Every structure is written in structure tokens, then in C-alpha cells.
Amino acid sequence: MAFRPDEYLRPRSVEEAVDLLERYGESAVLISGSITVNELSKRGFLSDVKQLIDIEGVGLNWVRVDQLHLKIGASTTYSDILQHQALRTPALMSIHEAATSVHPDQVRNIGTVGGAICSGFPFLDLPTGLLPHDVSLTIVGPRGERTVPLETFVFARLDERLNRGEILKEVTIPRAGSGKGSAFAKYGQTALDWAVLNCAASLQIDDEGIVRDARVFAGGKGVDITSPQKSAEALTGASFSDAVVERACEEMALALPAVSDTRGSAAFKRYTIKRLLREALGTAYRRAVTPWASR
């Protein structure tokens, strides 16, 4: 069936948007940048949708910085976040690099942070880039606001992430001090392609060169977002070395739910995720141990 919604609604406040979502339920879908809706409608997945609720005018576009956190509104675009120096520190560079990897410029200019997080697509780059950073989500609905860790949200079933009438309002990212570095790496079939595979890593290195905390995540087309505990454990408590990195990469490859398809064999994907994670870990380590003032 063709995608032919009956109504196009433009609420002027979060409260009005919540009311509309609660009223129409599963027959309504939120849009802001409209990237996800456009892709789904072309594939025939939205034939039952009768109302489009456009929240672009609600006022959820901001990047706010204080001493402890960065707060990003759900309607903030990729281009907006790329302009902020606070997301170019060594600790948070995986977020900046994930946003940079989104092409073309037209998508960066209209695609939103909230859309990337709520779509549930594991091949989108921004969720993977955000995951190593203890990110939390502020969700608003008929019963008020609640806060959910991004990791809990991402790994929940799609139908369990948002309750009826709920909207993602804000993304909160803790700021980090010295000794932390992060990085993002991606493989696509073309420069403009969705990620066949992507990964992000963060490392906290102490004054003696020991990895005190490690976070590693991977995603891609046909691959659920993956964060193997054994991969992080291989790094944590050890001096950063080629041998430690290889163990972490092997554990990631073993955990990756790769299947053979037109984008490559399962063996190729496991080989590629090791290469990507090796690159991300090396870059994250260099950022963690290099003084920011000398960059």
C-alpha cells in the first residue's frame, strides 16, 4: 500500500506533541528531520500510519554546556553538533567523528540526534559513537519526565523503548577530564553508504599507562549493536599493548552476530570489525595520553 497519511500536524510545544501522540497511538508517527520516515515509507513499512506529527517547531534544538555535562536537544541536527568545540575534545571525539561520517551534507543538515537514537537502526553511526560515554536520555510523556541510560534504551526491544505518548527530549553527555580518549571507525561500500560495520571505543588511561576503563561497541547493516564484555575485560587493568588490543579485537569478532549477505561474508565482516576496532583503539589511546594543550 502507498504511504498516504490523513493528517500533517505541527504542535507548538512538547506538551501538545505528547497529547497528540497519546490521542492517536500507533496510527501516528513523529517526524523532525524526516530521514527515517522517508526511508521506511519507500519500503512500504508505514502503510498504517495516518498522522504525521512534525515536532520541528517544538523547540528541541540546542547544545548546552556546563562544567559537568553537555545537553543536546532531540531535534538538534548533525550539522549543529559538529559546530561545537566541546564535542572535539579527546574524550568525546567518537561522537564528533560519528556525526562527521554521515553523508551527504543534505542529510547532516536535516537528520537529527533524536531520529538517529529512536529509529532503532543498528547501521546508523551516531548511536554507536555516543554509547561509550555513559549517555542518558530524558524522555517526556503523559506521566512527566524520566531518565534512561542510552545503553539500556538501545539494547531494549524496539517496542519497549518508548511508552505511548512519549518523546525523547534531550541527550545528556558527561564531560570527562584528562586521561580519556575515544574514537569512531566505519566501513561502508561507498563514501555515502550506511555503515556495513562501525565501531566506537573509549579508554581511560591512568598516569602509569594502565587502562582503567574500556568501552567498545560495534554495529552495522544486518548486525545488532554489540558490546562484548570479554573485549572490554581484555583491555581493562592492563598496559595498552598490541597483544592486549589483539585479544580485545578477537573477542569482538567472536561476539559479532555476522551473517553472509550481499555486503560480504560473515568471515569478511569479522575480519573487518577487528581492523576497525584496532584502528579505533589505537586512536583512542593516543588521544588519552597526549596532552590536549599540545595538539
Side-chain angles (χ1 to χ4, degrees):
M1 294 178 60
F3 177 50
R4 295 175 179 172
D6 296 335
E7 297 180 90
Y8 174 73
L9 306 169
R10 299 198 69 184
R12 308 309 298 178
S13 68
V14 172
E15 293 75 17
E16 185 182 352
V18 167
D19 288 342
L20 290 171
L21 274 177
E22 190 176 23
R23 181 191 312 169
Y24 291 113
E26 294 182 359
S27 71
V29 65
L30 287 181
I31 61 172
S32 185
S34 305
I35 298 295
T36 301
V37 167
N38 182 57
E39 292 296 323
L40 291 174
S41 64
K42 288 192 298 185
R43 292 160 173 79
F45 294 131
L46 299 180
S47 58
D48 293 333
V49 171
K50 302 303 180 185
Q51 291 84 26
L52 289 181
I53 302 174
D54 187 345
I55 61 170
E56 186 176 4
V58 165
L60 297 180
N61 186 335
W62 64 74
V63 178
R64 298 168 180 162
V65 182
D66 60 33
Q67 290 185 336
L68 299 178
H69 302 97
L70 285 83
K71 296 179 180 290
I72 303 175
S75 293
T76 305
T77 66
Y78 294 104
S79 294
D80 290 334
I81 65 175
L82 286 173
Q83 295 176 12
H84 283 266
Q85 190 65 31
L87 287 166
R88 298 188 186 187
T89 63
L92 300 179
M93 273 298 289
S94 71
I95 303 171
H96 179 84
E97 289 173 334
T100 301
S101 74
V102 176
H103 296 285
D105 288 343
Q106 292 92 323
V107 172
R108 285 190 202 168
N109 290 339
I110 63 173
T112 65
V113 173
I117 292 172
C118 293
S119 69
F121 295 150
F123 52 79
L124 295 181
D125 297 322
L126 190 60
T128 304
L130 285 164
L131 277 165
H133 301 292
D134 290 324
V135 173
S136 61
L137 308 178
T138 300
I139 295 170
V140 60
R143 298 182 179 180
E145 290 188 355
R146 62 187 178 100
T147 301
V148 180
L150 174 62
E151 190 167 345
T152 300
F153 188 88
V154 166
F155 286 107
R157 283 176 24 184
L158 191 59
D159 59 358
E160 295 176 344
R161 294 177 182 176
L162 292 172
N163 298 320
R164 180 165 176 165
E166 288 189 328
I167 295 174
L168 173 60
K169 176 183 176 181
E170 186 175 64
V171 177
T172 299
I173 307 165
R175 301 187 71 178
S178 61
K180 181 179 177 180
S182 72
F184 173 88
K186 171 182 176 177
Y187 166 71
Q189 291 175 312
T190 72
L192 302 181
D193 195 19
W194 304 112
V196 174
L197 291 166
N198 62 25
C199 74
S202 72
L203 297 171
Q204 183 73 47
I205 311 295
D206 69 13
D207 293 339
E208 298 178 352
I210 304 298
V211 180
R212 292 306 176 191
D213 184 68
R215 313 284 178 91
V216 291
F217 294 87
K221 280 190 174 180
V223 178
D224 290 336
I225 291 180
T226 305
S227 180
Q229 183 176 354
K230 288 184 178 180
S231 189
E233 288 175 349
L235 294 155
T236 306
S239 296
F240 191 84
S241 67
D242 290 344
V244 167
V245 169
E246 288 307 310
R247 285 201 299 275
C249 293
E250 288 290 345
E251 293 294 347
M252 175 63 83
L254 289 171
L256 190 76
V259 295
S260 299
D261 56 24
T262 57
R263 293 175 285 271
S265 67
F268 169 77
K269 292 175 183 177
R270 293 190 179 99
Y271 167 83
T272 301
I273 201 62
K274 288 193 290 184
R275 178 179 64 81
L276 292 176
L277 183 56
R278 190 181 301 118
E279 174 188 337
L281 286 170
T283 302
Y285 176 75
R286 289 191 294 273
R287 288 172 176 160
V289 300
T290 304
W292 180 237
S294 67
R295 295 167 185 271

